């Protein structure tokens, strides 16, 4: 079987790849926080003041690198919720569509 080289393929540096990964993680975190705020608004009827308070607290916590004794990661937060409250975020049925289609 013969194949042609994809003329649209391009190489990226390792540092660019790491930067793209970090941006994807930041975007995912922002999207998760947005979904959580919308859930609070829809499920509990929270409005501007309460949502802003939660947003402010989350923003502060994200800027405190030593909450768990080291930089905060999503794995740390998931493990903390599971251990402390028995809330297993890994069990959420999350629908993801990378193509942006419904």
């Amino acid at each position: 079987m013969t194949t042609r080289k994809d003329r649209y393929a391009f190489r990226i540096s390792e540092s660019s790849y790491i930067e793209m990964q970090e941006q994807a993680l930041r975007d995912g975190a922002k999207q998760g926080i947005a979904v959580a705020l919308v859930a609070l608004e829809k499920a509990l009827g929270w409005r501007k003041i309460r949502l802003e308070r939660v947003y402010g607290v989350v923003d502060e916590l994200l800027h405190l690198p030593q909450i768990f004794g080291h930089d905060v990661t999503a794995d740390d937060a998931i493990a903390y919720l599971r251990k402390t409250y028995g809330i297993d975020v890994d069990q959420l049925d999350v629908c993801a569509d990378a193509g942006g289609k419904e």
Side-chain angles (χ1 to χ4, degrees):
M1 178 174 167
T2 61
T3 61
R4 276 190 301 177
K5 184 176 178 181
D6 184 2
R7 64 179 148 169
Y8 299 110
F10 61 95
R11 294 179 186 248
I12 59 171
S13 67
E14 185 175 342
S15 62
S16 293
Y17 180 74
I18 291 170
E19 186 178 316
M20 291 181 340
Q21 279 185 316
E22 290 173 349
Q23 184 61 46
L25 290 171
R26 283 190 296 272
D27 290 346
K30 290 175 185 178
Q31 292 165 7
I33 292 166
V35 168
L37 291 174
V38 170
L40 290 169
E41 189 254 343
K42 297 296 180 190
L44 302 177
W46 286 19
R47 297 288 185 249
K48 184 176 174 59
I49 299 298
R50 285 184 177 163
L51 294 174
E52 284 179 342
R53 285 183 192 153
V54 170
Y55 176 85
V57 169
V58 169
D59 188 43
E60 285 179 29
L61 289 175
L62 290 174
H63 289 95
L64 295 174
Q66 299 299 319
I67 296 172
F68 295 112
H70 57 324
D71 288 347
V72 179
T73 67
D75 287 336
D76 293 331
I78 290 169
Y80 174 78
L81 290 171
R82 186 181 301 123
K83 181 180 176 187
T84 306
Y85 300 107
I87 297 171
D88 191 355
V89 180
D90 286 329
Q91 298 300 316
L92 285 172
D93 183 23
V94 177
C95 298
D97 181 9
K101 300 173 190 163
E102 290 186 26

